[in-house]
């Protein structure tokens, strides 16, 4: 597991780790035994072996990272979720966290305060994604082709996951453009029900992938979020 170098200007203490997954390998015993019974059962309901490996390895890695920050044994950590399905630690004071996985790569983001979201996706041909543009892009984005569609997609997902909002309901409420200020960041315009500043940065990703990090400062309260189910990767 590798800790990524974040863009200059990212808040102190914010961290993102990248995990390379061996999807054809057996589920590691040392990962399997860290999961709760509910997590294990959820993983076993997945049909493809690669999906099981991805789910178990990512959850075990998250537990290890949170254990290092809380001092609680990884298998003893208990998770809960809010009304929108966003997970949090139930039995410990620890950092905010978020995970995402796609293909053979997983990302785990931790933040000492505020709310954090992360997303990684395998890139697909622009022509294949064209039918989704009207569902994902805001009116202003549909006129601006400076950023690839997939780049905008991962930024939107990361920010909305940080907020805990229903992703499908709010994609077109958020517009992403390249920042005219600090490098390696994005300019965000939105009509979302939140007053705290939203921030997002690109993340280093393997060839063929796009990834982004979203963050909301500690003034944000999830109780103020309006939306449907929160989308997460296990």
């Amino acid at each position: 597991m590798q800790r990524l170098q974040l863009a200059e200007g990212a808040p102190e203490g914010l961290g993102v780790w990248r995990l390379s997954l061996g999807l054809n390998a057996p589920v590691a015993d040392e990962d399997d035994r860290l999961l709760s019974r509910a997590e294990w059962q959820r993983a076993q309901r997945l049909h493809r072996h690669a999906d099981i490996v991805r789910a178990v390895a990512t959850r075990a890695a998250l537990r290890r990272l949170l254990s290092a920050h809380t001092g609680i044994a990884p298998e003893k950590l208990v998770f809960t979720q809010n009304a929108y399905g966003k997970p949090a630690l139930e039995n410990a004071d620890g950092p905010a966290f978020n995970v995402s996985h796609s293909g053979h790569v997983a990302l785990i983001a931790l933040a000492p305060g505020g709310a954090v979201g992360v997303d990684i996706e395998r890139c697909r041909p622009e022509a294949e994604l064209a039918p989704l543009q009207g569902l994902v892009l805001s009116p202003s984005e549909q006129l601006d082709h400076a950023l690839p569609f997939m780049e905008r997609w991962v930024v939107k997902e990361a920010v909305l996951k940080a907020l805990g909002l229903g992703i499908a309901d709010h994609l077109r409420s958020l517009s992403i453009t390249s920042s005219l200020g600090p490098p390696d960041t994005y300019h965000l315009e939105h009509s979302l029900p939140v007053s705290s500043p939203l921030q997002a940065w690109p993340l280093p990703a393997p060839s063929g992938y796009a990834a982004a990090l979203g963050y909301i400062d500690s003034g944000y309260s999830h109780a103020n979020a309006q939306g449907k189910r929160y989308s997460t990767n296990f």
Side-chain angles (χ1 to χ4, degrees):
M1 189 159 49
Q2 173 191 8
R3 185 166 184 172
L4 299 181
Q5 179 70 41
L6 300 185
E8 185 177 350
E12 185 176 356
L14 193 59
V16 179
W17 286 259
R18 187 168 70 203
L19 181 65
S20 295
L21 304 170
L23 300 180
N24 295 320
V27 174
D29 289 340
E30 60 268 28
D31 291 345
D32 203 13
R33 61 172 171 256
L34 295 185
L35 272 60
S36 69
R37 181 170 180 80
E39 290 169 338
W40 185 86
Q41 290 176 335
R42 191 187 309 171
Q44 296 308 307
R45 288 196 293 268
L46 300 171
H47 297 295
R48 298 193 307 163
H49 177 75
D51 293 334
I52 297 173
V53 172
R54 192 180 291 115
V56 172
T58 304
R59 195 65 162 194
L62 172 65
R63 284 180 169 275
R64 291 187 180 100
L65 281 173
L66 291 174
S67 174
H69 283 76
T70 62
I72 297 175
E75 68 275 13
K76 299 295 185 181
L77 293 167
V78 178
F79 296 91
T80 186
Q81 60 185 32
N82 69 5
Y84 308 107
K86 184 167 186 177
L89 284 173
E90 183 177 65
N91 64 332
D93 291 328
F97 62 88
N98 196 241
V99 304
S100 180
H101 47 62
S102 180
H104 67 274
V105 185
L107 296 178
I108 301 174
L110 302 183
V116 66
V118 68
D119 191 56
I120 184 166
E121 302 288 347
R122 295 184 73 169
C123 295
R124 293 153 58 187
E126 289 285 320
E128 184 179 329
L129 297 168
L132 298 176
Q133 293 190 8
L135 301 174
V136 174
L137 301 182
S138 68
S140 63
E141 287 175 318
Q142 294 182 44
L143 301 174
D144 176 14
H145 305 289
L147 292 178
F149 176 86
M150 189 57 72
E151 185 173 357
R152 283 194 165 108
W153 178 289
V154 295
V155 177
K156 287 170 182 267
E157 288 252 3
V159 171
L160 291 171
K161 288 173 72 176
L163 287 167
L165 295 174
I167 289 177
D169 298 329
H170 296 281
L171 287 167
R172 298 179 75 248
S173 300
L174 177 62
S175 295
I176 314 297
T177 56
S178 297
S179 175
L180 298 177
D184 297 323
T185 188
Y186 295 104
H187 176 69
L188 310 180
E189 294 184 357
H190 65 88
S191 57
L192 300 168
V194 58
S195 58
S196 298
L198 309 181
Q199 296 174 276
W201 303 269
L203 289 174
S207 177
Y209 290 80
L213 177 68
Y215 179 72
I216 298 94
D217 70 22
S218 57
Y220 176 74
S221 170
H222 287 293
N224 296 326
Q226 302 293 324
K228 295 185 178 179
R229 298 292 296 175
Y230 173 80
S231 174
T232 185
N233 286 301
F234 190 54

